[in-house]
Amino acid sequence: MTTALLLIDLMPRLIALPLAPHTGDEVLARCRELADSFRAQGQPVVQVRVDRPGVAEQPPGSGFAPGLVEEGDVVLVKRSIGAFATTDLDDRLRKLGVGTIVLGGLVTTMGVESTARAAGDLGYEVEFVADAMSGPVAEEHDFAVARTFPRFGRVTATRDYL
């Protein structure tokens, strides 16, 4: 089975938020490193961002961070908190033979956690890159990484994939 990197909501408007324990720029830099490593190994990189439903125009900074998406990446736009509910992510991953997803992005207790819970329900093995995600409050992130995520999968660090 293949392992895919799944990056959630790396959008300028979220990267610019006051995040903890890692800044948005730190998360973005680590996610770039991870994506480069996965691509170099021929493993899939999946980039997912959110569009707010029911609005005529998305807020400024709602696209992907500049230079993040590269040719060959799977690119999806969701209209829900998690990446599975409103996309064909599951079908795409299965066609690629993916059995394990490695998660990073923003924010820890929203898009990342929601995606992880659905992934577990769908039978994927899940790995969480703790230093390649962050949240609005360090305590929320730390609790998720220490208490919640180990119940759904393996907690890792960027260096584990480089």
Side-chain angles (χ1 to χ4, degrees), residues 3-109:
T3 299
L5 176 65
L6 183 51
L7 300 177
I8 305 295
D9 293 336
L10 291 171
M11 305 164 12
R13 69 180 174 85
L14 296 183
I15 293 165
L17 293 173
L19 301 169
H22 313 289
T23 68
D25 287 333
E26 290 170 338
V27 170
L28 178 60
R30 290 180 187 127
C31 287
R32 285 183 194 278
E33 286 183 290
L34 289 166
D36 289 345
S37 177
F38 271 69
R39 290 181 193 113
Q41 297 172 46
Q43 295 174 303
V45 174
V46 181
Q47 310 260 6
V48 182
R49 69 168 182 82
V50 67
D51 265 359
R52 290 184 180 174
V55 297
E57 189 174 312
Q58 296 301 309
S62 291
F64 288 103
L68 181 65
V69 176
E70 292 192 7
E71 187 174 336
D73 291 355
V74 175
V75 177
L76 298 169
V77 177
K78 61 185 175 108
R79 289 170 180 77
S80 56
I81 296 171
F84 285 96
T86 58
T87 71
D88 63 347
L89 177 58
D90 185 41
D91 289 338
R92 290 189 185 217
L93 292 175
R94 296 206 188 275
K95 286 178 184 167
L96 293 169
V98 172
T100 301
I101 61 168
V102 176
L103 280 165
L106 301 171
V107 297
T108 304
T109 57

